[in-house]
Amino acid sequence: MNRTMINAALIVLCAVGSSPARAAGEWKAGAGTVVITPEQDMWMSGYASRKAPSSGKIHDLHAKAIVFEDASGAKSAIVTTDLIGMTKALSDETARLVNEKFGIPRERLMVTASHTHCGPALGGNLEVMFDLDAEQARRVSEYTEALPGKMAEAVARAVADLGEATLEWTQSEAGFAVNRRQYTLGGVVLGVNPIGPVDRSVPMIVARRADGSVKAVLFGYACHNTTLDFQQFCGDYAGFAQAHIEGASPGTTALFVSGCGGDANPNPRRTLDLARQHGNELGGAVARAMREPGRGLDGPIRGQFREVALALSAPPSREKLEAQLADPDVYIQRRAKRLLAEWDAKGALADSKPYPVQVWQFGEGLHLIALGGEVVVDYALRLKHEFGAEKTFVIGYANDVMAYIPSLRVLREGGYEPDISNIYYGLYAPWAPTIEETIIGTVHELAGR
Ligand SMILES: [Zn+2]
């Protein structure tokens, strides 16, 4: 490309970037919020090291929904939650309820988690991490069973709130995410890696009323929601960011989704003040960006959803699993017990896991890509390279959080995300090296490319 061509391309890009929001009438949008703070103290998720259940709350945890209705009348819903993760069972049941009540099909529903480590333990998620007594197990099970109804209620409130809106897409930045895969002579350890890749963009979809006020904003950040590790329920930085936006812009519902932050942590961390500070930085970045018109989004939304079989590396022998029942690591013992029970029940261990990939295209203007699991940053970088960073919004922790999702690079490097974490998620082995091509290839297929 010569200089004239570059200048011409820049002029075209600037023209696209500053195009005004579309006229009202094409979209309706609505938002709804339901409190999901446990009504009693219970075991918290995220850290194996906790020795006691929760002790009160800093602020409420929420399930929220945003619903978009395009000119054809088709509705699409995104549920966000202040929770550690999501399970296939929870998102499938929520999808069933939402389809039954509102005719929103599975491919048009995204169910996501903020990955707060100060939320309740969930049935079916990270179960190897906990050794619950009967009372705690009952509380976790009751809480989990009630969740689909609450998430569907958030969608119901958003549907009831539908009104004419314009949709805009824009991005900002926040600086507190740092790559946490620290390279040492002894291997990759969890720490701080200032030269590691990170995605500090803050993508957002803004739903604006006819008077210009913001009805709802869906925003993302690619960073573990792990400033805090204490005993009170709290949405961590993502909870504070949502509260900051809603406080600064009364009448706005702020919904957080996690990006591909599987290998990023907030830095620094571990105090309530820092969680609030990171939340204010992120919320402030969103609130500032909302004041300017973004790029108008056209409909329709073309929604695609597929579960692919994501292959695991070779399973252990039965003898190896039986030997692990006496492993000095209690978590390896627990995993072995569960895997042997699965072996007995099904006659073999599954050689893959179902993995959800979802792609929504807003006209020609935006690819909203939602991936399951704790996705590392390489996926966002690659998808933005291949689809264009100016029109790509990548969400992780979506629909099912069954494990970490390493890239091929991270899988080869080893460390917590591709190896050690599999113990807590109950995987018998790391993912197969085909993981990255399987996922990226599926995104391209769903996007029709
Ligand atoms: Zn995590």
Side-chain angles (χ1 to χ4, degrees):
M1 215 190 250
N2 63 33
R3 184 174 295 273
T4 312
M5 287 167 74
I6 291 169
N7 284 343
L10 283 174
I11 289 164
V12 170
L13 277 177
C14 293
V16 169
S18 61
S19 68
R22 298 300 183 276
E26 180 167 16
W27 293 107
K28 287 181 180 172
T33 298
V34 170
V35 171
I36 55 166
T37 318
E39 284 165 11
Q40 54 188 342
D41 281 316
M42 60 184 278
W43 212 265
M44 303 172 80
S45 194
Y47 298 109
S49 54
R50 282 201 175 94
K51 299 283 181 276
S54 62
S55 175
K57 67 179 179 187
I58 296 295
H59 52 213
D60 275 321
L61 308 178
H62 298 103
K64 298 181 184 176
I66 186 165
V67 172
F68 306 119
E69 185 178 303
D70 63 27
S72 75
K75 295 181 185 68
S76 305
I78 301 173
V79 174
T80 67
T81 58
D82 297 307
L83 291 172
I84 186 75
M86 194 47 61
T87 66
K88 174 171 158 53
L90 284 171
S91 57
D92 281 355
E93 176 60 8
T94 307
R96 191 188 67 75
L97 293 172
V98 164
N99 194 15
E100 186 179 275
K101 289 181 183 160
F102 308 109
I104 298 175
R106 182 68 191 89
E107 64 270 20
R108 290 182 173 274
L109 175 73
M110 286 182 191
V111 188
T112 68
S114 77
H115 204 44
T116 177
H117 283 44
C118 289
L122 296 180
N125 175 264
L126 286 168
E127 285 184 335
V128 172
M129 204 173 253
F130 313 112
D131 185 22
L132 302 176
D133 64 28
E135 174 59 19
Q136 288 301 324
R138 188 187 63 75
R139 290 183 190 193
V140 168
S141 146
E142 271 182 18
Y143 181 83
T144 306
E145 276 167 29
L147 271 175
K150 290 178 182 168
M151 293 192 280
E153 174 59 21
V155 175
R157 291 179 189 181
V159 168
D161 183 53
L162 279 169
E164 276 202 1
T166 53
L167 295 190
E168 298 165 18
W169 149 248
T170 191
Q171 300 190 73
S172 185
E173 274 178 47
F176 58 86
V178 68
N179 190 290
R180 69 184 200 179
R181 291 172 49 78
Q182 192 175 327
Y183 299 161
T184 74
L185 290 174
V188 180
V189 299
L190 286 180
V192 171
N193 178 1
I195 59 163
V198 72
D199 175 4
R200 296 197 175 107
S201 68
V202 180
M204 68 195 85
I205 296 173
V206 180
R208 216 178 278 281
R209 301 180 186 91
D211 66 3
S213 64
V214 175
K215 183 172 215 176
V217 58
L218 177 85
F219 68 103
Y221 195 54
C223 181
H224 256 69
N225 204 4
T226 49
T227 319
L228 300 168
D229 59 355
F230 59 24
Q231 293 300 119
Q232 289 158 289
F233 289 124
C234 181
D236 206 296
Y237 78 75
F240 285 112
Q242 293 173 83
H244 178 97
I245 297 161
E246 292 178 355
S249 175
T252 297
T253 302
L255 305 94
F256 172 84
V257 286
S258 181
C260 299
D263 48 350
N265 267 339
N267 186 45
R269 59 181 190 155
R270 293 305 190 223
T271 70
L272 186 56
D273 278 349
L274 284 167
R276 197 175 279 118
Q277 178 186 310
H278 296 327
N280 288 344
E281 181 187 347
L282 177 57
V286 173
R288 258 193 322 282
M290 275 169 22
R291 287 191 207 113
E292 304 294 328
R295 187 197 300 172
L297 285 174
D298 289 321
I301 293 176
R302 182 172 159 267
Q304 299 282 327
F305 177 88
R306 188 184 295 168
E307 277 178 355
V308 291
L310 208 53
L312 290 157
S313 297
S317 66
R318 186 148 186 127
E319 293 68 35
K320 187 172 176 188
L321 284 180
E322 280 165 357
Q324 285 181 353
L325 292 172
D327 194 280
D329 183 333
V330 67
Y331 304 105
I332 289 178
Q333 284 178 30
R334 282 187 208 151
R335 176 178 64 172
K337 198 170 161 194
R338 295 170 67 90
L339 288 169
L340 285 166
E342 182 189 333
W343 196 316
D344 291 342
K346 297 181 181 165
L349 296 174
D351 58 5
S352 67
K353 295 245 170 205
Y355 181 79
V357 180
Q358 195 164 18
V359 179
W360 290 3
Q361 292 174 90
F362 289 70
E364 298 295 316
L366 177 66
H367 291 97
L368 185 64
I369 299 166
L371 301 176
E374 301 204 39
V375 191
V376 302
V377 69
D378 291 351
Y379 285 88
L381 300 182
R382 182 166 169 189
L383 288 166
K384 288 180 185 188
H385 178 249
E386 295 178 2
F387 286 87
E390 72 277 25
K391 54 190 292 186
T392 304
F393 185 161
V394 190
I395 299 173
Y397 300 83
N399 298 306
D400 184 10
V401 183
M402 75 308 287
Y404 275 82
I405 301 299
S407 59
L408 185 57
R409 172 185 71 85
V410 168
L411 191 66
R412 284 177 171 152
E413 288 175 359
Y416 182 79
E417 294 87 356
D419 291 331
I420 299 165
S421 67
N422 294 328
I423 300 168
Y424 305 110
Y425 275 111
L427 267 59
Y428 58 68
W431 296 106
T434 47
I435 183 170
E436 183 173 332
E437 291 310 317
T438 301
I439 294 172
I440 299 280
T442 304
V443 173
H444 279 270
E445 280 179 32
L446 295 184
R449 285 158 60 112

